[in-house]
Amino acid sequence: MLKSKTFVKKTRAGGVMKVVREHYLRDDIWCGSEVCTECKDGAPVLQQDARVESDLCAYPHYLIPDTNVVLHQIDILEDPLIRNVIILQTVLQEVRHRSPPVYKRIKDATHEKEKHFYTFTNEHHRQTFIEREQGESINDRNDRAIRVAAKWYTEHLNKAPSVGELKVVLLTNDRANRDKAEQNGLLAYRCKYIEHIITGSKLLFPEHLPLSRIQAGIKSGTFLQGTFRASRDNYLEATVFVQREGDDSTEVLLQGLQNLNRAVHQDVVAVELFPKEQWVAPSSVVLQDDRPSDKETEEEEAEKKLESPVLDPSRLKPTGRVVGIIKRNWRPFCGMLNQSQIKEATRHLFTPADRRIPRIRIETRQASTLVGQRIIVAIDGWPRNSRYPNGHFVRNLGGAGDKDTETEVLLLEHDVPHQPFSQAVLSFLPKMPWGITEEVNTVWVPILFHIADVSHFIRPGNALDQEAASRGTTVYLCGKRIDMVPELLSSNLCSLRSNVERLAFSCIWEMNHKAEILNTRFTKSIINSKASLTYAEAQMRIDDASMNDDITKSLRGLNTLAKILKGQRIAKGALTLSSPEVRFHMDSETHDPIDLQTKELKDTNSMVEEFMLLANISVAQKIYEEFSECALLRKHPAPPPSNYDILIKAAKSRELEIRIDSAKALADSLNEAVLEDFPYFNTLLRILATRCMMQAVYFCSGMDSDFHHYGLASPIYTHFTSPIRRYSDIIVHRLLAVAINADSTYPDLMDKHKQSSLCNNLNYRHKMAQYAQRASVAFHTQLFFKNKGILNEEGFILFVRKNAIIILIPKFGLEGTVFFENNDKPGPRLNFDSEGPTLTVEDQHTFHIFDRVKVTISLDASNIQHQKIRMALVEPVIPGVSVALPEPEPEAKKLKLDR
């Protein structure tokens, strides 16, 4: 049957054109049901036995959801329990127009045979097509079309002899639509009905509150908004960082699956605080979700391990639960597939490389091919009755262990932009050969501190600037560098090479012999460096008494001033912390690591750092004086006193006191904490102090009131000294240039809200770059041990947990967790004392923080999917399971001198 619609429309030329649209209606569109004898469908989709367990609907039935149900309840529709669903063409077309991602998901569901989802083209069926009535809105017409199709299905199936109790149920949350459906004799339910179906399989998690209730709760103070941060060491524990007005911020502790309530690392969530009598202390147990199944009994056993009496009330933390998700931060995740042990199964668990991300259940028929490969998976949803989120396979990166694959994985996993620079970006580079022309408004400067003038080459708003702002920072991996700006700038024109003219931005101080600053000025400049030296070369000149040329004498003079400057900083309370770092020596042909050593810092490292710090402080003061509302600064918040608990206990175990009432008190007590019979003790203490620190962050001066940099004991600070590798420094260069009338401003530079948004991206990029760098070190450490066999090394206990000890091997800067229990067999008897903390195993040996131990280190390659560094205790000999996972520590746990 052919229906046509004729209308006229006005052309661009002003004429009138007649338009005829034809719409074909057919009688041979099948209903898709097994019970039907009228349709000639050779492969029906909808089952005859369409029964599910439900108190509301005990009879077999088919579901017809309206558009809004599909758009807003897609997670539940994807649940395995939801089957025999009729997706109308009307609904599919609306969903496609309003949400392409949901459209893809519902189309995928219709292709899953076990789901029995059937697409019915009601808009082309002669008995279900309807015309839009005069004055009727498109939405009302579509709602009527859905009711008409549901009515047709009900009457059509009732003609079948074997229909039995089979019903057709219309799902809608629209009250008016439901009322009209019931007036027409249709069976109509709200979407809550689906949850009643799923309740039969036991709901594991509380319902997330709607956004309207969350917003009202935040406004009234009932709920708090913050960022969900999953624990690396305990999959049943997390914190929510709540940033409040001004300097006030807090962390809310979450423990247990129901209180985590399906939040994923970095989601923005709403939390409800428990009453103080329900607050708990952070758990001392190490729990990794590596069980082969997700049985409820195993989960209950794991949650029991969280429970331990707290004798010291000061250890209790604000505790609460997630009540809703404000913003998901889902992205594609890298990891490996754990193939189901069930023969011909299509549902498998995917384990992300990042331990903070939960395992993801995916459906794929390629499991046998994907085992042993690094793959990317995306999360689709997390229903209330599912232990893990559901997701789908995105792509295969290649075999585990391959260097190129592993590098690609860690870059993707840490969201590091690493695509080649586009032609649009490269088009803004200067043409070569390049030279300094007379038009450049700079002066010749012979001395003192010079930084490449990167902002001369990267102008605001162009493609090169936008790309640098997006990347935020250069990322340094082992044997590889991901540049923030193209190589022509990073390795040539903005590299201050010796005996070559280069544009610079100079900070010039007049100092006396006591390193007291008499005058400071800033200028754009042209410099011609007299020597390009490594730290080692500069140190050799300083140390060699036979060398007395001008360059060497200048180095000695600068070194003398630097030592005075450092002394002044330390006297003010600047911290000298420690963090074991390693340097790999690579094979020139294979690029495999052939040697691994901890980095050794020289006086010249400190010399350069001191003048960098001084330049950063001087520039921070200048740009804040000129632009109090939009200066880009950097702060390091003081840690809350509770962060120092473990440090204080570690010192107390050796009858030493750590004072934390100020940064200076901490610095002084660290300096005094020396044991003559244990030379490495002070270094261990400083490593532990590093782990107590907060993360330094960029911020806009007009959006905050606390500028203090705790670690450097400086009231104000910024980053000026590395514009080649940090976009923050480029912005600071632009602000300084405007302040000294060396350049013009532009709107975004003076907009504090845009500056604040930029700072958020820079903080994120900096953090992910640090994670990527440490993941690269971890991978190359595995490569180093691959052919080393078994090594015997000395280590020190850094942390004592309820069921494990964490050991540091100083020689390799390697940390590993030695467990004393195993999921597969009974473990030894353990007695944990949180006050020490100490762990006694089988009443044979008690472990304390900083105990010296001997371990064997080797690469466990027995499982190609999860190669690990195996660390086993040699002395003392203790029975138990001992596997070490040398994962990189998070950014807040390792603090370099913030230059």
Side-chain angles (χ1 to χ4, degrees), residues 515-555:
E516 295 170 339
I517 300 173
L518 306 177
N519 185 41
T520 303
R521 67 185 180 94
F522 309 95
T523 183
K524 293 264 188 159
S525 60
I526 302 172
I527 67 166
N528 192 316
S529 177
K530 299 304 178 187
S532 179
L533 305 173
T534 66
Y535 288 113
E537 290 169 345
Q539 190 67 53
M540 287 174 60
R541 281 175 173 263
I542 291 172
D543 296 340
D544 189 345
S546 66
M547 297 190 70
N548 286 293
D549 57 280
D550 289 343
I551 292 176
T552 304
K553 287 191 286 186
S554 296
L555 287 171

Side-chain angles (χ1 to χ4, degrees), residues 178-212:
R178 192 167 70 253
D179 290 345
K180 290 177 182 177
E182 290 172 348
Q183 290 169 12
N184 291 336
L186 296 174
L187 194 60
Y189 285 146
R190 291 176 60 203
C191 210
K192 284 283 185 185
Y193 159 72
I194 301 182
E195 294 192 6
H196 280 279
I197 294 177
I198 296 177
T199 304
S201 67
K202 183 168 174 112
L203 294 177
L204 301 177
F205 297 99
E207 182 179 14
H208 286 152
L209 298 181
L211 197 56
S212 56

Side-chain angles (χ1 to χ4, degrees), residues 250-447:
T250 188
E251 278 194 339
V252 179
L253 179 65
L254 313 174
Q255 285 187 350
L257 278 181
Q258 290 215 339
N259 293 331
L260 302 183
N261 198 8
R262 295 169 287 156
V264 176
H265 184 63
Q266 292 296 329
D267 282 351
V268 179
V269 300
V271 293
E272 178 183 44
L273 274 181
F274 294 151
K276 282 193 174 182
E277 56 269 22
Q278 296 180 29
W279 288 8
V280 298
S283 174
S284 297
V285 70
V286 179
L287 289 176
Q288 296 175 4
D289 188 11
D290 52 6
R291 297 164 296 115
S293 66
D294 54 355
K295 292 180 182 176
E296 183 181 342
T297 54
E298 293 181 2
E299 208 73 72
E300 290 173 356
E301 288 300 315
E303 296 216 5
K304 285 180 182 177
K305 295 178 182 178
L306 295 174
E307 303 168 5
S308 58
V310 179
L311 302 178
D312 182 2
S314 67
R315 294 187 62 233
L316 299 177
K317 307 288 184 186
T319 309
R321 66 186 183 102
V322 172
V323 296
I325 308 295
I326 297 171
K327 181 183 178 183
R328 286 291 192 189
N329 194 45
W330 293 346
R331 56 182 174 80
F333 300 103
C334 302
M336 303 190 77
L337 191 70
N338 300 95
Q339 188 173 9
S340 173
Q341 300 303 307
I342 301 173
K343 190 177 180 181
E344 297 183 1
T346 59
R347 293 168 68 82
H348 310 273
L349 280 178
F350 162 85
T351 301
D354 188 342
R355 289 209 307 258
R356 296 167 301 181
I357 306 299
R359 292 197 281 182
I360 302 166
R361 185 175 281 113
I362 69 169
E363 190 150 341
T364 178
R365 299 185 186 278
Q366 307 177 53
S368 58
T369 304
L370 297 178
V371 168
Q373 304 288 298
R374 296 292 189 187
I375 65 173
I376 296 180
V377 162
I379 296 178
D380 297 323
W382 198 341
R384 290 174 61 194
N385 71 316
S386 176
R387 169 63 185 83
Y388 298 109
N390 298 324
H392 65 273
F393 167 71
V394 176
R395 70 184 176 105
N396 186 358
L397 295 172
D402 175 77
K403 280 189 291 186
D404 291 338
T405 298
E406 296 296 341
T407 299
E408 176 77 3
V409 166
L410 71 87
L411 291 172
L412 290 169
E413 181 60 34
H414 298 96
D415 196 19
V416 175
H418 58 284
Q419 67 279 4
F421 291 102
S422 68
Q423 285 303 312
V425 170
L426 298 176
S427 68
F428 285 96
L429 293 174
K431 307 304 178 189
M432 298 299 288
W434 176 87
I436 297 176
T437 62
E438 293 181 2
E439 288 78 20
V440 177
N441 185 23
T442 57
V443 297
W444 281 94
V445 177
I447 55 170

